[in-house]
């Protein structure tokens, strides 16, 4: 997977996005819309979301590239102040000066420009993401026969994958809703404080909200630094205080609790999976840490009753306390929705929808 990360990461990302749109697609089919038309409408909606996100990121990077040069004198003054303060403490700052002397404000702008060019270089992965989403949307119009075959041959695996589909869809919904809340609150708070580029930092907060555990820190550092350069220490302290109260409370306390209830993974496993998958499949692994963990849990652990003891170390306390039950065979209706399949011990009138 590490060797093929440029293929694995965007392909799996495409899978999770199409899976997240499946409930809407099934609802459209139940309302009488043709399967192909429903799949195309959901696909277009997903493409629109990706385009809006890409435009917002590009606009934010452009805003940073044009605005940050205005703070070059303040940055150099801050650097000199810190060097003088370290000197008064008796620290040997010669080595630090030699190290940081080559890191001027223009190099920071160079990092932004390289980030922008890196987004352009990722065009191949974006193209793969778009194409895979298209073919997955076509395949999603006729999944009944595949799911019947899987339910007959591997009923426990079928049940586990059905759980994965539900959990991933809920995870993206929870992350998106909380990201929008955090971004809106941050923009208002930063505007009140008077920090420049408030909307840009709101976009950053929305994107970093998809990164478990450390997204709060990644979204805090840039606006705090700009607040320090623009308004001084007091402005920076206000940003840190508001982010700690708002973002930390929402992203690190409330959201993980709801996410844990939705996907069943403990906070420790979520953080370790973030580090692990970022090393395995690259930067997208940080965004896909929870879905990837859920997928391999569904494939390797949930279908095997003898391996479910591993859940004691993976899932939340409430989920771990629930006794393991044998999954019920899953049947698939003509519109692709899963229902309870009649087995030898099933009641004749028991049937539902998934």
């Amino acid at each position: 997977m590490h060797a093929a990360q440029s293929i694995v990461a965007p392909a799996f990302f495409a899978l999770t996005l199409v899976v997240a749109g499946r409930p809407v697609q099934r609802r459209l089919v139940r309302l009488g819309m043709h399967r192909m038309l429903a799949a195309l409408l959901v696909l277009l909606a997903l493409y629109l979301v990706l385009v809006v996100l890409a435009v917002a990121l590009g606009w934010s990077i452009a805003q940073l590239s044009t605005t940050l040069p205005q703070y070059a004198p303040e940055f150099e003054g801050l650097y000199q102040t810190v060097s003088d303060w370290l000197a008064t403490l008796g620290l040997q700052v010669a080595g630090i000066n030699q190290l940081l002397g080559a890191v001027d404000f223009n190099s920071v702008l160079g990092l932004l420009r390289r980030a922008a060019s890196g987004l352009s270089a990722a065009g191949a992965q974006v193209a793969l993401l778009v194409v895979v989403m298209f073919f997955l949307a076509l395949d999603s119009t006729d999944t009944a026969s595949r799911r019947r075959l899987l339910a007959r041959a591997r009923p426990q695996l079928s049940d586990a994958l059905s759980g994965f589909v539900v959990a991933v869809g809920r995870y993206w919904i929870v992350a998106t809703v909380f990201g929008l809340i955090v971004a809106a609150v941050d923009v208002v708070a930063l505007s009140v404080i008077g920090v420049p580029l408030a909307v840009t930092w709101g976009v950053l907060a929305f994107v970093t909200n998809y990164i478990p555990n450390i997204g709060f820190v990644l979204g805090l550092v840039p606006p705090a630094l700009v607040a320090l350069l623009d308004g001084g220490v007091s402005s920076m302290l206000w940003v840190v205080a508001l982010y700690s109260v708002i973002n930390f409370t929402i992203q690190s306390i409330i959201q993980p609790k709801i996410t844990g209830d939705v996907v069943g993974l403990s906070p420790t496993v979520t953080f370790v999976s973030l580090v692990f998958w970022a090393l395995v499949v690259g930067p997208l692994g940080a965004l896909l840490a929870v879905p990837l963990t859920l997928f391999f849990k569904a494939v390797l652990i949930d279908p095997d009753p003898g391996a479910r003891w591993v859940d004691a170390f993976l899932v939340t306390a409430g989920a771990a306390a629930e006794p393991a039950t044998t999954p019920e065979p899953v049947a698939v209706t003509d519109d692709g929705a899963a229902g309870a399949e009649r087995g030898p011990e099933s009641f004749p009138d028991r049937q539902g929808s998934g």
Side-chain angles (χ1 to χ4, degrees):
M1 291 181 66
H2 178 70
Q5 61 178 260
S6 61
I7 299 176
V8 173
F12 187 80
F13 190 21
L15 173 65
T16 61
L17 292 177
V18 173
V19 162
R22 280 288 292 166
V24 177
Q25 182 178 340
R26 288 199 297 264
R27 178 64 61 86
L28 293 176
V29 171
R30 292 193 187 102
L31 293 176
M33 185 176 293
H34 192 273
R35 296 178 184 178
M36 182 63 69
L37 180 58
L40 291 178
L41 287 178
V42 173
L43 179 65
L44 290 176
L46 293 174
Y47 282 162
L48 179 61
V49 172
L50 292 177
V51 168
V52 171
L53 184 58
V55 170
L57 287 174
W59 175 82
S60 299
I61 293 177
Q63 289 292 311
L64 290 175
S65 300
T66 56
T67 304
L68 287 185
Q70 303 174 10
Y71 297 98
E74 289 81 359
F75 182 83
E76 294 173 358
L78 176 64
Y79 165 73
Q80 188 60 44
T81 301
V82 173
S83 299
D84 295 341
W85 176 69
L86 292 176
T88 60
L89 297 178
L91 299 178
Q92 298 295 329
V93 296
I96 300 177
N97 290 334
Q98 183 179 2
L99 176 63
L100 297 180
V103 184
D104 56 4
F105 202 75
N106 291 328
S107 65
V108 178
L109 298 178
L111 289 176
L112 291 174
R113 295 188 182 96
R114 283 193 292 272
S117 63
L119 292 176
S120 300
Q125 293 192 22
V126 173
L128 179 62
L129 171 68
V130 170
V131 174
V132 172
M133 287 179 62
F134 174 76
F135 285 110
L136 285 174
L138 293 182
D139 288 339
S140 68
T141 60
D142 185 17
T143 59
S145 59
R146 298 186 181 92
R147 296 189 62 174
R148 289 194 198 97
L149 175 62
L150 183 60
R152 287 195 298 268
R154 295 288 187 271
Q156 292 175 325
L157 177 60
S158 176
D159 185 80
L161 290 178
S162 298
F164 161 75
V165 169
V166 174
V168 166
R170 291 176 178 175
Y171 171 75
W172 284 128
I173 292 174
V174 169
T176 301
V177 170
F178 274 96
L180 291 173
I181 294 174
V182 168
V185 174
D186 286 346
V187 170
V188 174
L190 293 175
S191 299
V192 172
I193 299 174
V195 178
L197 304 174
V199 177
T200 299
W201 308 131
V203 173
L204 178 64
F206 174 75
V207 174
T208 55
N209 186 70
Y210 288 105
I211 303 177
N213 303 108
I214 65 172
F216 157 71
V217 179
L218 297 178
L220 167 63
V221 174
L225 178 59
V226 171
L228 175 62
L229 297 176
D230 183 76
V233 177
S234 60
S235 181
M236 181 194 70
L237 292 178
W238 273 111
V239 172
V240 173
L242 287 175
Y243 265 65
S244 299
V245 173
I246 299 172
N247 294 36
F248 181 79
T249 301
I250 296 177
Q251 292 179 278
S252 301
I253 298 179
I254 301 177
Q255 183 177 346
K257 176 63 172 63
I258 297 179
T259 302
D261 293 340
V262 169
V263 303
L265 296 179
S266 69
T268 302
V269 171
T270 301
F271 176 73
V272 174
S273 66
L274 165 69
V275 179
F276 176 78
W277 290 115
L279 292 174
V280 173
V281 297
L284 269 180
L287 297 177
L288 299 174
V290 172
L292 279 167
T293 303
L294 290 175
F295 176 76
F296 282 97
K297 180 178 179 294
V299 172
L300 301 177
I301 298 174
D302 294 343
D304 184 4
R308 288 181 187 161
W309 61 270
V310 182
D311 281 342
F313 305 97
L314 297 180
V315 301
T316 56
E322 296 178 359
T325 57
T326 303
E328 192 176 1
V330 176
V332 180
T333 59
D334 291 337
D335 66 348
E341 181 181 56
R342 289 183 56 190
E345 300 177 0
S346 301
F347 293 101
D349 59 345
R350 183 180 181 183
Q351 187 166 356
S353 61

